[in-house]
Amino acid sequence: MTIHTFELPDLGEGLTEAEVVTWLVAVGDTVAVDQPIAEVETAKSIVEVPTPYGGVVHELHGAEGEVLAVGGPLISVADGTAEPAAPAAPEKPAGPSADGERYREEERAGTGSGNVLIGYGTPEAGTRGRRRRPRGTAAVPAPAAVPVPAAPAARRVPLVTSPLVRRLAREAGLRVADVEGSGADGLITRRDVLAAIGAAAPAREPAPDAAPPAAPAPAGTVDPRTGLAESSRIPMSGFRRSVAAALSRSRSEIPEATVWVDVDATELVRLRAAHPRGPGLLSYVARFTVAGLRAHPELNGLVDADRGELVQYDGVNLGLAVQTDRGLVAPAVLGAHRLTTAELDAEIRRLTAAAREGRATPAEMTGGTFTLNNYGSLRVDGSAAIINHPQVAILGIGRIIDRPWVVDGELTVRKVTQLSFAFDHRVCDGGAAAGFMRVVADAVEDPAAAIARL
């Protein structure tokens, strides 16, 4: 029996570690080449990792919630090749495993997925199942090199395309491999997981003599400053550590300044109401932001401190602050300067949904050149935001509310919002920042005129 150890690969994000969120297989399971074996969480996304080896899972090199280093062992797989007990006829060179041969046949036929890192596995026939070795049977060398037929009742690899469904199963303590899918080709849906949770509820009740689950107990340590006992200590996830490092670096390196202005958005709201199936309000603001960056390109760049240079980009990758279950992320609409308002609207909707489901690509998660933050979705007016290093500015828009406003000398009620803008004082002075703000604010107050100029 030959054991192959698969090391945690570089996921293409320049990271050095990742946290194991969920093991999709267990020791003793039979896995196929390119089958997803774990979900890992990097600082930017949740990624499914497939195995390049087929065989029986021999060892999992880490528990769920454990942080593993890139290049360290992730999983060991035994290929099931039996070693001869005594010398016999001249031994033939070891050929490829059945799973490996099947994988190559699929690739030659053009049906393989080719998903090396983030796919959902290569499609296979019904023989591509995870078969658990009988627990009560000891593994003994096979008396002869006779292929063992696949178990006829072997299950297919669980097909789940939604991270939300996986999360629902994980939070309920279910393995997706134990859930029967009712969708096309056995796709596991939210309804399937909810049904499995309901069916398993009676079985999950603890036995009378079973010890109750341990509740989070106070750590017992008394804080000398407050005199209070610590109730808990929660390890920071890799994602949270990455966010903390980035924000700390931004605060320590960037001499930021903030300006803000109240804006009459009545005409923009009317424009949106007149075209209910058209772009949303945030899409218009995004379009105006791109126009402001075109007028003030120094705000769309970075500071190369090592070389003492201010870098400006030929194009805009517009980052959008998105609140997710994992925390705040800022994926970017790549090439936003090339999109119309309607195209921006479609891309913003797609990107925010992908970010919340953990499906945004590494390029989208890291490629932003400027960030737009919609504080209004959180029902607040504004914030002195922290710049998303290495960017040099961030624009925020607050909620739109009815406020008294003077128009042509008369007091009236208008739809008013607040724009807040934090910028790196190394790249420009307050005049340039105010000029950028006025481009966006004037467009919000008179969108028809602004759109005519774009």
Side-chain angles (χ1 to χ4, degrees):
M1 178 175 64
T2 304
I3 297 177
H4 303 280
T5 297
F6 175 44
E7 298 175 345
L8 180 64
D10 181 354
L11 301 175
E13 303 180 6
L15 301 173
T16 59
E17 63 182 18
E19 178 181 335
V20 178
V21 177
T22 304
W23 282 110
L24 306 180
V25 296
V27 173
D29 284 359
T30 298
V31 295
V33 172
D34 201 33
Q35 175 180 331
I37 48 93
E39 286 181 341
V40 301
E41 181 181 46
T42 68
K44 304 174 179 66
S45 60
I46 295 178
V47 180
E48 282 191 343
V49 180
T51 172
Y53 305 116
V56 178
V57 177
H58 178 75
E59 183 178 359
L60 305 178
H61 296 278
E64 293 183 355
E66 185 175 345
V67 177
L68 303 180
V70 170
L74 178 63
I75 188 173
S76 293
V77 178
D79 64 8
T81 303
E83 297 181 0
E91 189 176 333
K92 294 183 179 180
S97 66
D99 286 328
E101 182 62 31
R102 182 163 62 250
Y103 172 74
R104 281 180 279 278
E105 289 175 359
E106 288 170 348
E107 291 302 307
R108 287 195 293 268
T111 60
S113 71
N115 292 326
V116 180
L117 288 179
I118 58 175
Y120 292 96
T122 301
E124 296 188 25
T127 57
R128 179 199 174 196
R130 289 193 302 162
R131 297 179 295 280
R132 188 179 297 277
R133 190 191 317 172
R135 299 300 185 189
T137 305
V140 296
V146 178
V148 179
R155 289 191 306 233
R156 293 172 55 87
V157 174
L159 177 60
V160 185
T161 59
S162 170
L164 296 180
V165 173
R166 286 195 185 279
R167 183 179 299 115
L168 179 63
R170 181 168 64 249
E171 291 174 350
L174 294 177
R175 294 181 59 208
V176 291
D178 299 328
V179 179
E180 294 294 332
S182 62
D185 297 325
L187 178 70
I188 299 173
T189 65
R190 178 184 176 89
R191 183 181 304 170
D192 298 328
V193 174
L194 291 175
I197 293 173
R204 291 173 184 271
E205 295 180 1
D209 57 345
T221 303
V222 176
D223 177 30
R225 184 182 65 86
T226 64
L228 300 176
E230 297 177 355
S231 61
S232 65
R233 281 180 174 264
I234 303 173
M236 294 177 68
S237 66
F239 172 81
R240 181 53 57 186
R241 290 201 308 272
S242 177
V243 170
L247 296 179
S248 298
R249 182 176 183 183
S250 177
R251 280 297 196 200
S252 64
E253 292 186 10
I254 299 177
E256 65 184 41
T258 303
V259 294
W260 56 92
V261 63
D262 291 337
V263 181
D264 182 0
T266 304
E267 294 304 320
L268 182 61
V269 173
R270 287 175 179 170
L271 176 63
R272 176 71 178 92
H275 303 280
R277 295 187 178 182
L281 293 174
L282 185 61
S283 304
Y284 284 107
V285 176
R287 190 70 186 87
F288 302 153
T289 299
V290 172
L293 294 175
R294 185 177 292 116
H296 297 275
E298 63 270 31
L299 297 170
N300 183 53
L302 61 80
V303 176
D304 188 341
D306 293 336
R307 302 180 61 175
E309 297 173 343
L310 303 180
V311 180
Q312 297 180 13
Y313 296 113
D314 183 18
V316 179
N317 291 342
L318 186 61
L320 300 167
V322 179
Q323 190 67 46
T324 73
D325 292 341
R326 301 170 60 232
L328 184 66
V329 296
V333 176
L334 305 180
H337 58 288
R338 294 190 294 265
L339 304 181
T340 65
T341 306
E343 291 170 339
L344 267 175
D345 183 75
E347 186 62 9
I348 288 173
R349 294 178 188 275
R350 181 203 66 80
L351 184 63
T352 53
R356 290 191 175 102
E357 295 175 2
R359 295 185 289 104
T361 67
E364 291 169 337
M365 295 298 293
T366 61
T369 63
F370 182 95
T371 298
L372 175 61
N373 196 344
N374 179 17
Y375 307 121
S377 63
L378 303 177
R379 302 177 64 186
V380 297
D381 297 324
S383 170
I386 300 177
I387 297 171
N388 187 13
H389 186 278
Q391 298 172 21
V392 296
I394 180 172
L395 174 66
I397 180 170
R399 58 179 178 167
I400 300 176
I401 59 175
D402 290 338
R403 289 178 55 185
W405 199 260
V406 176
V407 179
D408 297 329
E410 298 291 335
L411 186 63
T412 185
V413 176
R414 305 288 283 184
K415 301 290 185 181
V416 177
T417 186
Q418 183 182 93
L419 299 179
S420 55
F421 182 57
F423 65 98
D424 188 335
H425 228 314
R426 295 174 297 178
V427 302
C428 68
D429 296 324
F436 167 81
M437 285 281 280
R438 285 315 320 172
V439 171
V440 179
D442 292 346
V444 170
E445 293 186 335
D446 193 353
I451 293 172
R453 295 191 298 267
L454 295 178

